[in-house]
Amino acid sequence: MIRKIMEDWMRDECLRRGYQLVYTPHVARVNLWQTSGHEGFYAGNMFTPMELDDAMYRMKPMNCPFHILIYKDSLKSYRDLPVRLGELGTVYRYERSGVMHGLLRVRGFTQDDAHIFCTPEQIEDEIIGCVDFARAVLATYGFDKFQVELSGWDPNDRKSYIGTDEQWTMATKSLENALARSGIEYKFVPGEAAFYGPKIDIKLVDAIGRLWQLSTVQFDFTLPQRFELEYVGEDGKRHQPLMVHRALYGSVERFFGVLIEHYAGAFPVWLSPVQTAIVPIGEKHLEYANKVGDVLKKQGVRVEVDGRNEKMNAKIREHAMQKVPFILVVGDKEAEANSVNVRTRGQEKTETVPLDAFVQRIGQLIAEKKATLV
Ligand SMILES: [Zn+2]
């Protein structure tokens, strides 16, 4: 359920921010990975090739080549740019068995991946858009502390990097300007860039001070060249678009793992798999409990009516252990007054409130994605 909520949020947010959503295949012919360079530089991280009817195929370790093929599907003019293609794309990477680690490092994971193709005039605003989007992710999921690094090249180690001096200067400058215009402090780390372009990394700080690398905004000088990407400029001539890879959750699985750690399982209401548990005091109160459940479900609240033949206190304890945000206890008094007795997670005192008032309160907490329950 939490993953669904995360995915829905990301897709909606992409659409709001002018991305097109795409779906791409999970396997491709080896010659695609040769064109992209993965077959040369990345083969050690890929699953073994498989032979199908006519050719050798590999599972995708990245989504980029597919997004590039979508870009190339028609000739682009400068008026069509920027093109922003986003996908919750599942990729497969061969991790040695010793390094796999829970949800944090797995062999198949889903990236909230996107690629932006644009003109040099557009690049700074595009980077600002990515940084703003990344900040929205952090704020929405309740992280108020983060650190930003800008990884540049080492001009004294020219042969370790592809791309021209002008490309590196322009790209690094646009990243710097975007961070400055966004009012974000950052650390510049020379020599830490990938060989194909500079990048911005955003690391969040969780509830107990641990750092997690999540969002990356990465320039790429190599793929537009390898795939001969073009657009027709205002001058009527063909130009190579700039290309940026960006992932904000990074891996959806890993981000989910970080959320579990950050909240220690006590999720905000909007993320909680069960938002309200309803416990009837006795068997004869089950009918009213179901009625309350239906009212809440109609409002889109995720409800569990606990009609099991167990002691009331045992049920309450169990839902409390599950860190359900609200437990509603209902008996004769509540049924008569159309009210509910509310136990709010983390609070000792319970309170009886009209059902309508509770519906309104929980609806507001969900709509506002509030981190707190009051
Ligand atoms: Zn990519």
Side-chain angles (χ1 to χ4, degrees), residues 337-371:
N338 208 29
S339 65
V340 289
N341 183 260
V342 187
R343 292 166 177 264
T344 304
R345 187 179 64 208
Q347 289 186 11
E348 304 238 327
K349 254 181 45 199
T350 68
E351 51 176 341
T352 301
V353 298
L355 176 56
D356 289 354
F358 178 75
V359 170
Q360 207 193 345
R361 175 171 153 203
I362 193 168
Q364 199 175 346
L365 288 169
I366 294 168
E368 291 173 5
K369 300 189 169 48
K370 274 270 176 53

Side-chain angles (χ1 to χ4, degrees), residues 67-82:
H67 293 190
I68 287 174
L69 293 182
I70 293 171
Y71 175 91
K72 279 186 72 152
D73 187 51
S74 64
L75 179 63
K76 300 288 185 289
S77 129
Y78 68 96
R79 287 190 212 91
D80 301 320
L81 302 184

Side-chain angles (χ1 to χ4, degrees), residues 62-64 113-115 223 243 245:
M62 296 187 194
N63 304 298
C64 340
D113 204 3
H115 296 90
L223 288 179
M243 177 179 173
H245 313 252

